[in-house]
Amino acid sequence: METDHSPVIVEKVLDGTVDAGFVYSKPLSPNIASIHVLKDTYSLYGHKCFAGTSLKNLKELTRLPWIYMNWGYHFENWLKAELGSDFFKPLIEVGHSELEMKLIEELEGVGFLPDEMVERSTTGFIPISMETQKTIPAQNVYFIYKKSREQEEDIRELAKKLGEE
């Protein structure tokens, strides 16, 4: 299993470096098959030391030890619209979800994370309530594979299972 950004995963599927992948952006390539798997929803979570914390304005986020990960185009646009570019100042910016979670734990910080990821983790992160102009946009997740490999048993079985859910 490898993790990377969606365009990299698509290229690896196309060149055969990986058999299949999960991406946020549905590929436009006619050589790629995709199955919608789920819709990730996001919330602001923090280390347990932030229990009871509530943000009346999202701009208050910048005074906290905010660990930032870009969860895709729609998320980034939502956040910039809420904060304004002058207030977009996280403590640390990362490019990997597990690193974000580790830093939130170790630095006693806060960050936006997929709800399902936090629910499946053992971190003990707590949701932080916040007032926003708009709801955080959900993100579609797709299972992708090269169409020329759709008859391979492993790909076919996994695609079938994911397509049923």
Side-chain angles (χ1 to χ4, degrees), residues 18 26 45 75-76 82 98 101 117 119 134 165:
V18 298
K26 185 175 181 177
Y45 289 94
F75 174 81
E76 184 177 30
E82 290 286 332
E98 289 180 19
M101 291 180 78
M117 179 184 282
E119 288 168 12
K134 292 184 179 179
E165 296 185 10

Side-chain angles (χ1 to χ4, degrees), residues 89-120:
K89 297 176 184 160
L91 175 66
I92 298 172
E93 184 170 343
V94 298
H96 195 280
S97 57
E98 289 180 19
L99 178 58
E100 180 184 20
M101 291 180 78
K102 182 176 174 127
L103 290 173
I104 290 171
E105 182 67 33
E106 290 181 3
L107 299 177
E108 296 183 354
V110 302
F112 292 95
L113 293 165
D115 296 318
E116 189 172 317
M117 179 184 282
V118 174
E119 288 168 12
R120 286 184 285 124

Side-chain angles (χ1 to χ4, degrees), residues 113-133:
L113 293 165
D115 296 318
E116 189 172 317
M117 179 184 282
V118 174
E119 288 168 12
R120 286 184 285 124
S121 76
T122 58
T123 60
F125 292 160
I126 53 127
I128 296 176
S129 64
M130 59 183 179
E131 292 184 23
T132 60
Q133 299 296 316

